[in-house]
Amino acid sequence: MKPDRRASPQHKAATTKKQEPAAKPPQHPAVARTTTSSITITSMTDQFTLSNVACIDTAKSPHPISTGIGFFDHMIDQLNSHAQIGVAVIVTKTNGESSSAMSPSFEFVNRYADEDQALIMGQVGAALGSQLKELVYKGEESNSRTSRFCCPLDEALVECVLTKSSSNNEGQLTKFTLPPYGKYPANKGRSKIGTMKTQFVETFFTNVAQSSGMDISLVKVRGDNGHHVVESAFKAFSRALRNLIDGTDTNNYTSDEFEKMWGEKSVSYTAGLELCREGKLERSTKETSILVHVLMNGLLKGSDSVQVDTGIKTMDEFVAILAKEAKMSVEVKCNGDLYVDDHHTSEDVSIALGQVLNTAFGTKAGLNRMWCATGSMAMQKSK
């Protein structure tokens, strides 16, 4: 059964925007595609108001996300964390509770769990999409661009591809392969996550695409847990959106744009060297005695700054190549029980190296961009 996009006549929007011609019925209830902060929508039984709708670039909104469907709120909040967009939207019954009476109780957060979720999720998607359109197009219609991001979340992995067309016409959800949402129940997946009905995730993204002018593709590469699949999709969408707004070309790793942002002459690179980030660890167990020292200095002293001696040739070569490509000085020494096996040495060196890198990198709070990288390896015949 195809997801319900609520094109039925009993759902209508009470807005001032002229409805679409009858010859072209909309795929979702009509909404005002402007940056209005208040939208009223009508179901068969109730009227709902969407208020304080906002998508603020690289800033937080003073208003909350409160749709009346708890897990849906959690998913929308991914835009705050992963797209650095301050999102806000409040859904209330027009003649019901006041938005000022909000509470963190389960009952209030999920107050519309038994209402028309297709209508609510669809209209929230349309309202947020119209706000995102202002950020994506920024008054420019001639610059087409594509952004892609794959987001792993435990066992799940979803790929999102966003396409900004040369004109800001209505976008489309071009591909959507998230269902079934998990392995259980068998051959069906989850129909609900929390109180949110999973069938309307597609409704949300369809409306986001149409209102934002972006084409959206969401492909589940893998995933056994429905919660992880949906969250991976929202995070992938958020990261791809950030790159699209920034104008980052994630399909070209040797471009002038890449060099300007991350190259050796970039502000990011030189500022990183000035931090003089460093990590050092010495540890001894019954199996190994290890020293690992890392200095993120751009290999200013040349390749002589890379000294690796673990007694395992393959590991020595791996760590040395890693250090040279990352342009960091590395000293690794290990005296291990290779007479037993190379397992203890390789394991302990890897753990120690990871701990030292973690120390050198320092706190990662505030990191809000991700990138892609490629590498090539010459194939050599082993002797």
Side-chain angles (χ1 to χ4, degrees):
M1 183 177 69
K2 292 184 177 180
D4 185 355
R5 292 187 178 86
R6 284 298 189 263
S8 55
Q10 66 265 32
H11 291 82
K12 59 183 179 178
T15 69
T16 58
K17 184 171 176 66
K18 187 176 180 180
Q19 300 292 317
E20 296 290 336
K24 285 187 174 183
Q27 293 296 308
H28 54 80
V31 296
R33 296 183 187 280
T34 66
T35 55
T36 178
S37 61
S38 181
I39 300 171
T40 300
I41 56 178
T42 304
S43 71
M44 292 180 64
T45 57
D46 290 292
Q47 276 195 335
F48 296 90
T49 297
L50 274 63
S51 60
N52 296 313
V53 181
C55 292
I56 307 171
D57 195 17
T58 62
K60 291 185 178 296
S61 171
H63 302 290
I65 299 169
S66 182
T67 66
I69 307 168
F71 187 78
F72 187 39
D73 292 352
H74 178 49
M75 292 300 96
I76 296 174
D77 188 50
Q78 303 309 308
L79 288 163
N80 280 310
S81 301
H82 296 277
Q84 291 80 58
I85 294 174
V87 177
V89 58
I90 300 173
V91 180
T92 54
K93 284 189 176 179
T94 304
N95 298 316
E97 73 286 335
S98 168
S99 62
S100 62
M102 293 187 175
S103 75
S105 68
F106 176 89
E107 291 74 15
F108 182 80
V109 172
N110 292 282
R111 62 193 178 278
Y112 300 139
D114 297 326
E115 301 284 352
D116 189 342
Q117 289 198 18
L119 178 69
I120 294 172
M121 292 177 67
Q123 292 298 310
V124 168
L128 293 180
S130 67
Q131 294 280 330
L132 292 175
K133 189 173 189 176
E134 300 296 319
L135 301 181
V136 171
Y137 284 91
K138 299 176 183 177
E140 301 175 2
E141 299 184 4
S142 59
N143 186 18
S144 61
R145 188 181 289 272
T146 297
S147 176
R148 171 178 174 266
F149 198 91
C150 298
C151 180
L153 182 64
D154 293 339
E155 90 298 339
L157 178 65
V158 173
E159 175 197 59
C160 178
V161 178
L162 302 179
T163 303
K164 169 188 171 184
S165 66
S166 56
S167 61
N168 59 2
N169 295 325
E170 191 172 85
Q172 296 181 350
L173 184 62
T174 58
K175 187 176 290 187
F176 188 86
T177 66
L178 301 189
Y181 294 94
K183 294 174 64 176
Y184 305 102
N187 302 319
K188 293 182 180 180
R190 296 177 66 174
S191 61
K192 285 185 178 181
I193 303 174
T195 63
M196 187 194 77
K197 296 179 181 178
T198 54
Q199 72 184 102
F200 301 127
V201 174
E202 183 171 359
T203 305
F204 169 78
F205 280 111
T206 296
N207 281 264
V208 170
Q210 291 177 348
S211 290
S212 68
M214 294 184 293
D215 287 343
I216 301 174
S217 169
L218 287 165
V219 175
K220 178 175 67 178
V221 179
R222 62 176 183 267
D224 298 333
N225 182 304
H227 182 133
H228 294 163
V229 169
V230 175
E231 189 163 351
S232 174
F234 273 83
K235 287 181 176 180
F237 171 75
S238 298
R239 291 286 179 174
L241 178 62
R242 182 69 261 167
N243 283 334
L244 195 69
I245 292 172
D246 286 347
T248 302
D249 187 353
T250 55
N251 298 307
N252 189 346
Y253 316 120
T254 59
S255 63
D256 292 339
E257 180 182 40
F258 181 95
E259 290 300 319
K260 182 178 179 180
M261 292 183 69
W262 305 112
E264 293 183 29
K265 295 182 180 180
S266 68
V267 174
S268 299
Y269 186 81
T270 54
L273 295 183
E274 291 172 0
L275 293 175
C276 299
R277 292 171 292 176
E278 183 176 14
K280 187 174 183 179
L281 175 67
E282 294 184 69
R283 50 174 282 185
S284 295
T285 66
K286 290 196 305 181
E287 294 87 9
T288 58
S289 178
I290 295 174
L291 164 67
V292 179
H293 184 198
V294 169
L295 181 61
M296 296 183 175
N297 59 356
L299 272 183
L300 298 178
K301 296 181 180 180
S303 59
D304 291 342
S305 298
V306 178
Q307 302 176 32
V308 186
D309 183 11
T310 66
I312 303 174
K313 183 179 179 181
T314 301
M315 170 150 278
D316 292 353
E317 292 178 353
F318 168 77
V319 175
I321 292 172
L322 175 66
K324 291 174 182 178
E325 292 298 323
K327 296 189 181 299
M328 58 186 181
S329 295
V330 172
E331 180 185 9
V332 177
K333 294 181 180 179
C334 178
N335 184 14
D337 58 354
L338 296 178
Y339 51 84
V340 174
D341 187 23
D342 56 12
H343 172 83
H344 294 144
T345 295
S346 57
E347 180 180 50
D348 289 0
V349 167
S350 299
I351 291 172
L353 182 59
Q355 292 173 330
V356 168
L357 287 172
N358 186 55
T359 299
F361 283 132
T363 177
K364 288 164 279 295
L367 292 179
N368 54 22
R369 297 293 189 276
M370 289 188 179
W371 201 271
C372 306
T374 59
S376 60
M377 181 176 65
M379 300 301 293
Q380 297 179 349
K381 294 182 180 180
S382 59
K383 295 182 180 180

